[in-house]
Amino acid sequence: MKQEYDVIIIGSGPAGLAAAIYTGRAQHRTLILEGAVLGGNVAITDQIDNYPGFSFGISGDELIENMWRQAQRFGAELKYEQVLQLEDMGTGKKIVTAGSEYLAKAVIVAVGAKRKKMGLAKEEDFMGRGVSYCATCDGAFFKDAPVAVVGGGETAFKEALYLAGIAAQVYLIHRRDEFRASKTSVDRLLKEPNIIVKTDKIVKELRGGDMLNAIVLEDVKTQETETINAEGLFVSVGMVAAGEFLENLLDNEGGYLKTSSDQMLETSMKGVFAAGDIRSKNVRQIATAVGDGAIAGMSVSEYLKQL
Ligand SMILES: Cc1cc2nc3c(=O)[nH]c(=O)nc-3n(C[C@H](O)[C@H](O)[C@H](O)COP(=O)(O)OP(=O)(O)OC[C@H]3O[C@@H](n4cnc5c(N)ncnc54)[C@H](O)[C@@H]3O)c2cc1C
């Protein structure tokens, strides 16, 4: 028998949890479906310094734990199931996971974004054998070893700074000679004695046997190559939208969902709303994800009133 809810929220990152606080508090029967770990990208963030309300920052774990307890207080349920399919049944929506089917009057898609791969030969072979997409998840495996981070944005800098406290040596590899990361992060990183910055370089080749042990870099201007010893390579070259199962169903731009207006956040399917990083928008941060979650939650209330 299909289980029925007023609203099903897909994804338990900050957008999904904020939405659940609003729909739960409005007394709509709310289910969150999460395919991996509670908290999305926040759960894998060591320290968050720019989310308002925490003057000395807060760890990702603690922030998520608080958001989840708050959603739970208003009656939200959580199940660890990956959503595979969403189907429009008119006023109701069917959601299919590996083991169950659910019916909801409204759906909020909050599936976020995930790390982009470099697209290198052997990248997949070395995954879990040196190549990682998350320093806070895997950094501890590289205690006192040489590692590299590839990327030039805020996330790459955070990863490198985090790893500097664990690894013997951290190489930061970036294909340009200027960075997208904030000045604060750049200044902090340049002061770290065990971080070596390699600009104008791309990763050309991954080397090793069972485990990664070296990386070949190529200079983008001179095409000269050099090999550095690295047992870990942390890839931070951008993000891609996570909702593959929605791509041919909802209007999107490169996988990022288009929404009706900043006041409603409804997708191209009536009764299906989107919140957080999965939305086509410019700023992808916890504060904006939470703002989206609040709007989508309130839009669901309006939508349910009209049914
Ligand atoms: C390393 C790193 C550090 C960051 N640091 C900061 C920072 O300091 N400050 C800041 O403001 N922002 C930071 N960000 C950005 C911030 O984490 C994101 O903007 C925010 O998490 C977006 O929230 P979200 O809920 O939209 O998506 P996410 O946090 O990505 O959560 C989406 C959730 O949906 C789940 N999901 C995906 N597909 C499915 C499916 N088919 N079925 C069920 N569940 C699914 C995922 O498993 C995930 O749990 C950082 C991001 C990264 C990667």
Side-chain angles (χ1 to χ4, degrees), residues 13-125:
L17 293 176
I21 291 167
Y22 277 77
T23 57
R25 194 159 180 261
Q27 307 210 333
H28 306 310
R29 193 165 177 233
T30 301
L31 171 68
I32 304 169
L33 290 172
E34 169 54 56
V37 292
L38 179 70
N41 279 324
V42 178
I44 58 160
T45 304
D46 178 39
Q47 173 76 5
I48 292 152
D49 281 327
N50 56 0
Y51 188 68
F54 302 95
S55 47
F56 294 101
I58 184 166
S59 76
D61 274 350
E62 203 182 339
L63 182 60
I64 283 303
E65 188 57 34
N66 279 329
M67 286 187 189
W68 166 231
R69 270 199 244 116
Q70 200 174 354
Q72 231 178 352
R73 182 157 70 89
F74 295 120
E77 291 174 46
L78 170 70
K79 292 188 184 183
Y80 288 99
E81 291 177 42
Q82 177 86 5
V83 173
L84 305 175
Q85 207 182 314
L86 167 68
E87 224 176 282
D88 193 3
M89 324 266 291
T91 50
K93 317 288 162 204
K94 183 164 94 176
I95 285 183
V96 181
T97 67
S100 311
E101 284 188 4
Y102 298 91
L103 277 181
K105 292 177 188 155
V107 170
I108 298 175
V109 179
V111 293
K114 56 188 181 187
R115 297 286 177 91
K116 205 187 266 177
K117 297 201 172 118
M118 285 181 299
L120 276 180
K122 296 202 191 150
E123 184 174 353
E124 305 248 337
D125 299 344

